Amino acid sequence: MAELGSAAIIIGLIVAVYSVIALAIGAAADNPRVVGSGRGGVLATVLATSTASLSLLYLLVKGDFSVAYVADYSSLTLPWFYRISAFWAGQAGSLLLWLWLLSIYAAVVGSARSAKEPSRALLAPRVAAILQSISVFFFILLIAVAKPFAKGATVPTDGAGLNPLLENPGMVIHPVATYLGYVGFAVPFAFAVAALTLGSRPGAAAARAAWVKLTRKWTLSAWLFLSIGILTGMQWAYVELGWGGYWAWDPVENASLIPWLTGTALIHSVMMQERKGLFKFWNLSLVTVTFLLTIFGTYLTRSDVLSSVHAFGDRQMGYYFLGFLLLTVVFSVALVAARRREMVDDRPVEAYISKETSFLANNVLLAGTAFVVFWGTIFPVITRNLFGREVAVGPDFYNRLSPPLGLAIVVLAGLCPLLAWRRASLKSFRDNFLVPLVAALAFIGVALILRLRPVGAILAFAGGLFVAVTVVLEFVKGTAVRVRSHGENPLAAFIRLTTRNRRRHGGYLVHLAVAAIIIGITGSSASSIYKAEATQTLTPGQSLTVAGYTVTFKQLQMREAPNHPGVVQVYADTTVAKGGRQLGNLEPMKLFYPNREEPGTDVAILGGLGRDVYVILAGWDENTGAASLKVMVNPLVAWIWVGGYLLIFGAVFALWPQARGVEVAEYEALRRRAVGRARTGAGAAAATAPFGGDGR
């Protein structure tokens, strides 16, 4: 099976190179036969990568330790689902996963031939050629540097097993979701580049204008998966690393955040190009930068260029990635420079207070935040190469700069959706934002009267409240109009309101989710407001009280892990109470693995919307039976997870296909006509009536 996998990778490289050449020549010469042959090469690439991937999965599940990768990341006692996740636990496997996903994406987008979408059909061969070019790079890595099917010098009787930190359900989902996001951003990049290579052939102008619309769902899907990856990574860090936090500004964490920020900016700015013909050059630059940042993120985790608890790799791998990045940058810059005249906006932004301006500000802030994180991440590399000494900036750098930028972004998340196109009037501004603004100011006033601190946290809470009230009011107003105009009950009116324009209302849900996340991050990181912790050694029967929560240590116990034979759990049997009322039992533990010298840590959490009681077993005395417990009370962390899941739901809701007969363009046309009627005196209710109309 290992030989089959190795052969599949070599064959895959050959057919990928062939398909690049065939697609490029066929597209340039408008030769359907050659293009069809190139498409066959794309499908053959999928077959090759699937064969290699399934071969590796088989070897991992079977436990064939003659293969070095299997011996390094699997073991006889490892549960089957963690044997599967071992596929992406190491360098070679994760690169193979990258390649597998990319080849599937290339096959999907390259197969478009629909006469109903001539722009897609025109672009498809070029897009597939570009994606296949990227595949060639990953094939070379798997053949030259990271060989997943390489045999070991000896055949051990058992494998080393998975890193205990990775034996967590979050680590089954997090890498795959992150890679789906990373690889997904290659698709809009390929479309954008393909659009620029069309020249003056028939249909080129329409295709250049259409690439934004054609990639809208690809971009949002990539952003959704990257969001899921970041969210599950944060949850994993919170429950597995045992330090009570979820984000440490680690270089590899930053590597996923940076493209997420630029991807968020892209999702907003492409709407300006789609609707108003604005930001064409900016969008092309942004999609290119976002793709490069996904390669940069992979580079960080696959080289030893930066120290990180998540990174693994070698310097040789880094050189390959650096070369690919430089090549892509030179190619992209040259192409954009050559086609600069084709990216002139249809018209300028007309007013300072308008939806267009708010989106521009949104993009500047998101890009600025991404640059701050990027600069802090690569600063150690710069100082090492320029001055011979590595200087890391540390969390304080990010914690000083990110809050004001984040607050401004949150406020814009409340403003952007409801500002009018072209020019917002004072009346519409007052109608949409008076109540949310009063609510936010009232919160600030009450907080100052109660002397809550720090002020930055109060402003962040107020910003989140402003966004939440704005979005909720928008739902309430729209539902109320339907109830009045159609006589529907409120639930039916709400459902029909939201499903008539999934993209718009999915976006509202995402903004509401951002508000919840900001509240959670602010509450859990503003230590002077609620957060508390203490460490104490307790004998059986003794208690420790932190922020009103009493943790009582009953006894120390030991058992074999239920789902992992050979792993021994030593846990502290504890109870948690508040005000004399028992809230639950907790079992913080250490885990001892047969193939590892250092034990793993499993924290125990009693969660709630208000705060988490987070208990860590730091150590014990075998003679006395005493246990050293660290108890932390973390406020509002749950709001991060609630907001995260709402964000996922909102994005899926926006991606879900619109019901037949309810075309958004028609819907928007109705809305614009209604707004026009309102301006001529028909009233605000009439203006919002199309939101509740049937779209016909």
Side-chain angles (χ1 to χ4, degrees):
M1 190 59 75
E3 289 75 13
L4 176 63
S6 296
I9 291 175
I10 294 172
I11 294 171
L13 173 62
I14 295 170
V15 294
V17 170
Y18 168 76
S19 65
V20 171
I21 296 171
L23 288 166
I25 293 175
D30 289 330
N31 188 323
R33 289 187 62 187
V34 179
V35 168
S37 180
R39 284 195 172 107
V42 175
L43 296 177
T45 306
V46 176
L47 181 62
T49 57
S50 299
T51 301
S53 300
L54 294 175
S55 297
L56 184 58
L57 283 169
Y58 173 81
L59 293 169
L60 286 165
V61 173
K62 182 186 176 186
D64 185 346
F65 302 123
S66 65
V67 177
Y69 189 84
V70 177
D72 289 341
Y73 297 102
S74 184
S75 68
L76 295 174
T77 59
L78 197 65
W80 66 268
F81 47 91
Y82 286 134
R83 293 192 192 196
I84 291 175
S85 68
F87 181 94
W88 46 82
Q91 187 182 76
S94 57
L95 291 175
L96 179 56
L97 177 64
W98 225 107
L99 177 60
W100 193 14
L101 297 174
L102 183 62
S103 66
I104 294 171
Y105 283 7
V108 172
V109 299
S111 62
R113 307 181 191 186
S114 172
K116 295 180 180 178
E117 293 184 294
S119 295
R120 186 189 296 275
L122 184 62
L123 289 169
R126 288 172 168 78
V127 172
I130 294 165
L131 295 177
Q132 287 292 87
S133 301
I134 302 170
S135 297
V136 169
F137 166 67
F138 282 93
F139 272 120
I140 292 173
L141 289 180
L142 291 173
I143 292 173
V145 187
K147 305 174 182 177
F149 300 102
K151 296 285 186 174
T154 59
V155 182
T157 55
D158 195 3
L162 206 58
N163 184 329
L165 291 175
L166 302 182
E167 292 189 28
N168 179 283
M171 276 298 115
V172 178
I173 302 170
H174 162 72
V176 178
T178 303
Y179 272 30
L180 282 167
Y182 276 3
V183 180
F185 278 119
V187 176
F189 166 75
F191 266 94
V193 171
L196 290 181
T197 63
L198 289 173
S200 58
R201 67 183 57 248
R208 275 193 290 275
W211 78 265
V212 166
K213 183 179 180 182
L214 294 175
T215 59
R216 187 173 63 206
K217 290 195 173 183
W218 281 102
T219 305
L220 186 53
S221 299
W223 182 86
L224 168 63
F225 282 119
L226 191 53
S227 301
I228 294 172
I230 292 173
L231 178 68
T232 52
M234 291 169 67
Q235 287 184 312
W236 167 81
Y238 187 60
V239 304
E240 195 66 36
L241 296 185
W243 61 284
Y246 45 81
W247 193 267
W249 296 109
D250 181 271
V252 174
E253 292 176 339
N254 295 348
S256 63
L257 178 63
I258 300 168
W260 186 87
L261 289 167
T262 57
T264 306
L266 179 64
I267 288 171
H268 289 85
S269 64
V270 292
M271 283 192 279
M272 294 297 102
Q273 182 172 343
E274 193 178 344
R275 302 275 183 92
K276 302 296 177 182
L278 294 171
F279 305 166
K280 293 179 182 177
F281 176 75
W282 171 251
N283 285 331
L284 195 69
S285 304
L286 202 54
V287 74
T288 302
V289 167
T290 301
F291 168 70
L292 291 173
L293 287 171
T294 64
I295 298 296
F296 173 75
T298 311
Y299 164 63
L300 277 187
T301 54
R302 303 298 172 259
S303 68
D304 63 349
V305 66
L306 286 171
S307 300
S308 166
V309 297
H310 305 285
F312 52 87
D314 56 50
R315 186 60 57 90
Q316 187 185 8
M317 179 70 73
Y319 292 145
Y320 279 83
F321 269 100
L322 199 56
F324 180 73
L325 276 171
L326 289 175
L327 186 65
T328 309
V329 168
V330 170
F331 172 75
S332 302
V333 170
L335 188 61
V336 170
R339 303 295 184 185
R340 180 67 180 89
R341 293 182 179 177
E342 298 168 4
M343 291 177 282
V344 177
D345 290 349
D346 293 351
R347 61 179 180 79
V349 176
E350 298 179 18
Y352 289 115
I353 302 179
S354 64
K355 192 184 287 292
E356 292 91 326
T357 305
S358 69
F359 273 57
L360 177 61
N362 156 290
N363 265 240
V364 170
L365 288 168
L366 286 167
T369 306
F371 178 76
V372 167
V373 180
F374 179 78
W375 178 253
T377 303
I378 66 167
F379 191 73
V381 180
I382 293 174
T383 55
R384 185 175 62 206
N385 286 286
L386 291 181
F387 308 110
R389 187 168 64 91
E390 187 171 301
V391 178
V393 295
D396 287 345
F397 169 79
Y398 304 101
N399 293 335
R400 278 199 302 271
L401 294 177
S402 58
L405 291 169
L407 178 60
I409 292 171
V410 169
V411 172
L412 281 174
L415 291 173
C416 286
L418 301 184
L419 283 174
W421 293 101
R422 304 186 71 174
R423 187 183 302 276
S425 67
L426 182 61
K427 179 179 182 303
S428 67
F429 193 87
R430 182 191 61 202
D431 291 345
N432 287 323
F433 301 114
L434 180 61
V435 174
L437 190 60
V438 168
L441 292 175
F443 175 83
I444 293 173
V446 171
L448 292 178
I449 291 171
L450 296 176
R451 297 184 178 182
L452 297 179
R453 294 293 184 275
V455 174
I458 302 305
L459 292 176
F461 281 131
L465 182 63
F466 173 78
V467 176
V469 174
T470 302
V471 173
V472 171
L473 277 180
E474 188 63 12
F475 280 116
V476 171
K477 288 177 181 176
T479 303
V481 169
R482 277 203 72 99
V483 170
R484 288 199 300 271
S485 60
H486 291 72
E488 298 169 343
N489 67 62
L491 179 59
F494 176 77
I495 293 173
R496 286 171 182 160
L497 169 77
T498 53
T499 53
R500 290 292 176 184
N501 191 337
R502 292 181 177 275
R503 185 181 179 189
R504 172 194 295 271
H505 293 99
Y508 286 168
L509 290 175
V510 170
H511 284 205
L512 187 60
V514 170
I517 292 171
I518 289 298
I519 289 171
I521 291 175
T522 304
S524 57
S525 56
S527 57
S528 60
I529 298 180
Y530 302 116
K531 196 170 183 178
E533 66 176 70
T535 302
Q536 189 171 324
T537 299
L538 304 175
T539 57
Q542 284 189 320
S543 299
L544 169 63
T545 299
V546 179
Y549 291 88
T550 300
V551 177
T552 301
F553 172 56
K554 295 166 68 177
Q555 59 181 333
L556 202 65
Q557 299 201 49
M558 184 172 65
R559 67 189 174 204
E560 187 178 53
N563 298 318
H564 197 157
V567 175
V568 176
Q569 299 175 338
V570 177
Y571 65 98
D573 186 4
T574 62
T575 61
V576 180
K578 183 177 184 183
R581 185 167 66 91
Q582 291 295 322
L583 300 179
N585 297 324
L586 291 177
E587 296 180 350
M589 65 179 68
K590 294 285 186 186
L591 297 98
F592 293 86
Y593 297 86
N595 299 324
R596 303 277 177 177
E597 294 184 1
E598 294 296 323
T601 298
D602 255 16
V603 303
I605 303 171
L606 187 64
L609 286 177
R611 59 190 67 192
D612 288 351
V613 180
Y614 188 101
V615 184
I616 307 163
L617 176 60
W620 59 86
D621 187 326
E622 294 182 353
N623 297 321
T624 63
S628 178
L629 298 178
K630 183 174 184 177
V631 179
M632 308 174 75
V633 177
N634 298 328
L636 303 181
V637 175
W639 286 93
I640 300 174
W641 318 135
V642 170
Y645 293 124
L646 181 59
L647 182 146
I648 293 169
F649 177 78
V652 171
F653 190 84
L655 278 168
W656 204 264
Q658 193 73 39
R660 181 177 297 178
V662 187
E663 296 295 335
V664 174
E666 183 183 7
Y667 177 86
E668 287 299 321
L670 285 169
R671 179 178 180 275
R672 284 195 294 272
R673 288 199 294 272
V675 171
R677 290 197 302 273
R679 286 174 178 167
T680 58
T688 54
F691 284 102
D694 57 8
R696 293 187 289 271

